Amino acid sequence: MTKEQETFYITTPIYYPSGKLHIGNTYSTLVADASARYQRLMGKDVYFLTGTDEHGQKIEQKAEELNMDPQAYVDEMAEIIKSLWKTLEISNDGFIRTTDDYHKKAVQVTFEKLLEQGDIYLGEYEGWYSVSDEEYFTETQLTEVYKDADGNVIGGIAPTGNEVELVKEESYFFKLSNYSDRLLDYYNSHDFIVPEFRKTEMINNFIKPGLEDLAVSRTSFSWGIQVPSNPKHVVYVWLDALMNYVTHLGYGTDDTTMLEKYWPANVQVIGKDISRFHTIYWPIFLMALGLPIPKTIYAHGWIVMKDGKMSKSKGNVIYPETLIDRYGLDATRFYLLREMSKGNDTVFTPEDFVNRVNFELANDLGNLLNRTIAMMNKYFDGNVPTDKAAFVANAVDAEYEATISEELAAYFQAMEDISFDISLDHAMKIVSRTNKYIDETEPWVLAKDEADKPKLASVMYHLAESLRVVAHILRPFLTNAPKEIFDQLGISQEIDHGLDSLVYGEFPVNATVIKKGVPIFPRLDVEEEIAYIKEQMTGGANSSENLTVDDENWDPSETELTFDETEAIEFDQFIQTELKVAEVIDVAPVKGSNKLLRFRLDAGDKGHRQILSGIAKSYPDYETLIGKKITIASNLKPRKMMGYLSQGMILSTETPDGLRLLFVDEASENGTFIG
Ligand code: MSP
């Protein structure tokens, strides 16, 4: 009877296809990939899922901004994300798009089931919503609030740093509190959340204060999965998205073979920012559906920059392609997986990147391989000695072997714990210990005396064997170098062996190394490469640092621009704002506000538009504005102020006498674009 293969299901968060992914975004997928590769090499039957989270207000808005149909937009973006994973050689088995038909149907089945069971009920939601996070917040959670003249809160900033807007709409709610006790029991009886400090965070911040019912549908936009029994509602994007982990395996369809085989997931990799969704809402949804809860939610920290979060406006973004194109995929994957420590944030710096790659890959590993190949050719004609009976041990051999086995054991332990920085540390310790072993045994001295040949054979064997082992244990992380090392050592067949059968001291017999080693990682010029990466972070060749002024009559130092370039926006960001000429048809003060005037304007639209502007104090004679041509920003999202809808913004400038409107020539037609 053959032993049934153990299964291992691992997932990444599904990505919003709302922009180009930077190295931070790609980290979740890299961790999951290294894990999946490791588990496969350990003989498990692995299923690795990733995908895209394509519904919701954020995506709808993004498509609108680009004047695209949302489906056409996500179709394009999903392809871009898939091709990034190809570039990173991600070994995913499945890719789910939440616009896939099977997923949409299964989410509808789920929603109706929860409704029927009484977990979901219809009510009205009034509160704050961050479109960027697709997340609800209470007023007390906001880190900053905006108020109108009468002290009413009209907006604010969520703890994530993103703006919130007031949402008031009919909504279905999920009664999360019904499950709090079961959730706590589960937390206490399982190692569910890794690292553990996140568990405490969830309990103290959300569960102990009492779980509020969660709004699980929206009515104010339409880009989502419709609730079948009440089609004006679309399913809240997080309920839709979280379900991907099981719908992809067939939950809610006729064929649940995969679900039975792989669910519950062994590891679900996420970033720390989405812990609440994965460690509170997700297990509760699963409990309600009668499905088992995943074994581990692994929440990693963030890759940040010296000046905080990566953001285009700060000019500190680094994309994986930038590093891969110049330094190769292995160096890029190595750096990210080596540098990030479990659960904590890690600062990316060009200095660390260049130094890591240089010291550990080019120097330590690259040199070890080169020296080994060169000496093997010189002393043994390239043939790796494997007849252990003919070896004579060197004084350090026993201690050396013991160290290597300790490092190997520690490597495996860290791999099981998904502490990849530690695994890689142990792998690199084997490399540096082996370089030291060369210095200790001095093979060039042994080679001088024929009588020392058996000792020299032992040294050379250990070098080749340690390189074989290191190449194996690097396989979850590097996609090319291990194969290169096997090939150069003349043991290409090693690529077919797993890690589960890895034993130190089993270098294959009859192997001949290549005649001349080829460097697997070129040495980098530290200063040049640091400068290169920095330049890429601030926009590469288009960076303003590279611009020269070519005008003999103009000394640029006299008129030096003194604005904060980190705040500068791209040209295409600027042209996204529509500025237009508008004629004032009517204007009146807003009751209850001493700041706001309510304008009725003709901006070339079909009807008149209404804009509220905080200039009442500067224009006590506001009636004189009727008939004047002013300027507005016309494509801002309408927002509610003092109970009125404001459809844009009126442009004004500050003067010592207060705010003054920007008027344009009478001859300009209403609705003319400015720019
Ligand atoms: N669509 C949701 C996830 C739904 S899963 C059912 C989402 N998408 S995301 O595109 O915004 O983020 C994807 C992943 O990238 C998250 O795990 C997030 O934590 C991670 N990261 C985004 N920026 C990051 C860094 N700077 N560093 C590390 N990971 C970061 O959230």
Side-chain angles (χ1 to χ4, degrees):
M1 202 177 89
T2 54
K3 200 173 139 245
E4 222 183 289
Q5 213 182 354
E6 212 180 312
T7 58
F8 190 88
Y9 181 37
I10 184 160
T11 64
T12 74
I14 49 172
Y15 291 81
Y16 291 125
S18 52
K20 203 172 157 185
L21 301 187
H22 55 57
I23 54 165
N25 302 130
T26 55
Y27 183 69
S28 301
T29 301
L30 269 181
V31 171
D33 184 59
S35 244
R37 284 172 184 268
Y38 170 73
Q39 296 294 347
R40 284 190 202 106
L41 289 166
M42 292 302 281
K44 302 240 176 95
D45 170 355
V46 172
Y47 197 87
F48 170 19
L49 178 68
T50 186
T52 38
D53 184 358
E54 304 187 354
H55 290 125
Q57 205 172 351
K58 170 151 126 172
I59 301 296
E60 187 180 86
Q61 281 179 4
K62 190 80 203 181
E64 243 168 47
E65 274 168 29
L66 297 166
N67 229 335
M68 279 177 88
D69 165 57
Q71 188 62 54
Y73 171 72
V74 293
D75 285 348
E76 219 171 76
M77 290 303 294
E79 285 313 309
I80 294 177
I81 292 178
K82 278 186 187 168
S83 91
L84 173 64
W85 298 149
K86 274 217 175 92
T87 309
L88 285 161
E89 293 191 28
I90 300 302
S91 63
N92 57 303
D93 301 290
F95 190 98
I96 183 168
R97 298 181 53 189
T98 52
T99 52
D100 286 337
D101 245 4
Y102 69 88
H103 173 78
K104 290 198 280 193
K105 286 194 188 120
V107 168
Q108 290 184 321
V109 170
T110 305
F111 198 94
E112 293 298 329
K113 178 177 158 70
L114 294 172
L115 201 56
E116 222 166 83
Q117 286 175 188
D119 282 305
I120 288 180
Y121 65 93
L122 192 59
E124 180 160 281
Y125 180 81
E126 184 171 1
W128 303 100
Y129 193 76
S130 155
V131 177
S132 299
D133 303 302
E134 296 284 16
E135 189 171 355
Y136 299 94
F137 293 96
T138 58
E139 196 172 312
T140 48
Q141 285 176 317
L142 305 182
T143 54
E144 208 181 316
V145 289
Y146 306 142
K147 293 184 179 169
D148 65 13
D150 302 314
N152 302 311
V153 179
I154 51 167
I157 302 289
T160 52
N162 295 315
E163 285 217 13
V164 290
E165 60 182 36
L166 190 62
V167 170
K168 188 176 178 197
E169 62 192 18
E170 183 184 274
S171 177
Y172 284 98
F173 287 87
F174 190 109
K175 284 191 223 159
L176 294 177
S177 50
N178 282 355
Y179 294 89
S180 317
D181 293 343
R182 274 177 69 186
L183 184 65
L184 274 177
D185 283 348
Y186 191 82
Y187 278 9
N188 292 331
S189 52
H190 295 80
D191 289 328
F192 174 52
I193 309 176
V194 174
E196 213 187 328
F197 67 83
R198 297 251 172 253
K199 171 172 124 183
T200 322
E201 202 175 281
M202 293 299 129
I203 296 177
N204 292 344
N205 295 353
F206 304 109
I207 304 179
K208 273 206 186 134
L211 289 176
E212 287 182 19
D213 293 355
L214 176 72
V216 286
S217 75
R218 301 284 313 267
T219 49
S220 51
F221 66 93
S222 59
W223 182 239
I225 301 175
Q226 271 185 345
V227 173
S229 56
N230 193 350
K232 72 173 189 234
H233 288 255
V234 293
V235 178
Y236 174 40
V237 65
W238 271 99
L239 172 56
D240 163 354
L242 286 162
M243 286 302 294
N244 93 84
Y245 301 130
V246 288
T247 62
H248 185 75
L249 300 179
Y251 178 80
T253 72
D254 295 337
D255 185 359
T256 53
T257 330
M258 291 270 284
L259 187 75
E260 278 139 35
K261 185 168 178 193
Y262 290 109
W263 192 257
N266 296 71
V267 179
Q268 301 209 263
V269 179
I270 58 162
K272 61 174 189 178
D273 54 314
I274 53 176
S275 298
R276 173 152 52 134
F277 301 98
H278 284 84
T279 62
I280 297 180
Y281 305 159
W282 179 222
I284 288 180
F285 295 156
L286 290 167
M287 283 175 191
L289 296 171
L291 285 170
I293 290 167
K295 294 187 183 130
T296 302
I297 300 287
Y298 177 88
H300 61 74
W302 270 39
I303 300 178
V304 292
M305 307 309 258
K306 269 190 186 148
D307 50 351
K309 254 188 179 180
M310 255 182 266
S311 87
K312 261 196 197 160
S313 59
K314 280 192 191 156
N316 64 0
V317 178
I318 185 103
Y319 296 105
E321 294 92 338
T322 306
L323 300 176
I324 296 168
D325 288 349
R326 194 155 171 108
Y327 309 107
L329 179 59
D330 278 351
T332 307
R333 289 178 55 118
F334 178 80
Y335 169 80
L336 292 171
L337 292 161
R338 170 89 174 96
E339 204 68 25
M340 287 290 284
S341 74
K342 191 170 175 174
N344 299 318
D345 289 353
T346 300
V347 179
F348 172 92
T349 67
E351 290 81 358
D352 287 344
F353 180 87
V354 173
N355 286 328
R356 274 275 185 232
V357 172
N358 250 359
F359 290 141
E360 298 196 342
L361 295 181
N363 279 4
D364 288 359
L365 180 60
N367 276 351
L368 177 61
L369 181 65
N370 280 347
R371 291 164 94 186
T372 304
I373 301 277
M375 289 192 287
M376 203 68 84
N377 276 308
K378 195 162 169 196
Y379 307 140
F380 289 94
D381 229 1
N383 303 314
V384 183
T386 49
D387 179 8
K388 290 181 193 163
F391 294 168
V392 169
N394 296 269
V396 292
D397 282 9
E399 185 268 325
Y400 171 74
E401 276 188 25
T403 311
I404 303 300
S405 6
E406 271 166 35
E407 294 297 346
L408 262 181
Y411 161 90
F412 279 105
Q413 183 56 54
M415 288 307 288
E416 295 293 331
D417 294 346
I418 324 186
S419 295
F420 294 151
D421 54 324
I422 299 179
S423 311
L424 281 167
D425 193 49
H426 292 295
M428 296 323 290
K429 279 198 179 122
I430 298 182
V431 174
S432 55
R433 180 67 191 87
T434 306
N435 274 319
K436 190 170 154 215
Y437 174 74
I438 299 180
D439 300 338
E440 288 167 344
T441 53
E442 299 182 312
W444 49 91
V445 176
L446 297 174
K448 284 190 187 141
D449 191 342
E450 195 51 33
D452 282 334
K453 197 99 198 225
K455 277 190 173 178
L456 183 61
S458 176
V459 173
M460 293 315 298
Y461 175 83
H462 281 108
L463 298 188
E465 176 57 355
S466 294
L467 273 166
R468 178 186 77 96
V469 165
V470 165
H472 269 297
I473 64 179
L474 287 177
R475 287 175 69 191
F477 307 103
L478 310 184
T479 61
N480 182 49
K483 184 178 177 304
E484 270 287 313
I485 297 173
F486 293 146
D487 290 349
Q488 295 202 26
L489 290 173
I491 49 169
S492 308
Q493 72 279 15
E494 282 292 302
I495 206 82
D496 301 326
H497 294 198
L499 270 178
D500 48 347
S501 54
L502 184 70
V503 175
Y504 193 89
E506 291 192 344
F507 196 92
V509 292
N510 297 330
T512 305
V513 303
I514 58 163
K515 282 274 160 268
K516 196 165 169 10
V518 187
I520 41 176
F521 294 101
R523 251 194 84 74
L524 308 177
D525 180 308
V526 176
E527 269 174 35
E528 197 173 308
E529 297 312 321
I530 290 173
Y532 174 80
I533 299 174
K534 282 189 176 157
E535 189 186 304
Q536 296 303 308
M537 281 159 60
T538 49
N542 297 325
S543 152
S544 54
E545 279 167 20
N546 301 331
L547 297 181
T548 52
V549 178
D550 203 8
D551 182 348
E552 284 174 12
N553 301 320
W554 182 45
D555 174 4
S557 63
E558 284 172 17
T559 52
E560 211 176 343
L561 274 178
T562 53
F563 71 96
D564 180 0
E565 278 196 34
T566 56
E567 296 293 313
I569 59 166
E570 297 292 336
F571 181 70
D572 45 344
Q573 279 175 283
F574 164 69
I575 57 168
Q576 282 171 16
T577 319
E578 273 178 18
L579 301 178
K580 278 185 180 175
V581 173
E583 183 182 336
V584 181
I585 305 298
D586 198 6
V587 54
V590 171
K591 229 169 132 192
S593 163
N594 54 4
K595 242 172 105 182
L596 289 173
L597 286 178
R598 181 159 65 99
F599 285 83
R600 194 144 62 84
L601 301 166
D602 177 356
D605 310 299
K606 267 197 200 128
H608 289 159
R609 66 164 76 205
Q610 170 171 282
I611 300 186
L612 272 73
S613 179
I615 56 168
K617 285 189 183 147
S618 307
Y619 285 96
D621 52 348
Y622 55 85
E623 285 104 338
T624 58
L625 295 172
I626 295 173
K628 290 264 166 44
K629 305 249 178 176
I630 61 169
T631 47
I632 64 164
S634 58
N635 62 341
L636 304 181
K637 264 178 71 76
R639 59 181 197 150
K640 257 201 178 152
M641 294 162 88
M642 302 291 292
Y644 293 106
L645 199 64
S646 182
Q647 304 160 301
M649 194 175 95
I650 294 179
L651 304 189
S652 62
T653 179
E654 234 175 288
T655 73
D657 302 327
L659 294 169
R660 298 323 292 163
L661 293 176
L662 300 183
F663 296 106
V664 290
D665 200 288
E666 303 274 291
S668 313
E669 283 212 18
N670 298 344
T672 312
F673 282 102
I674 303 169

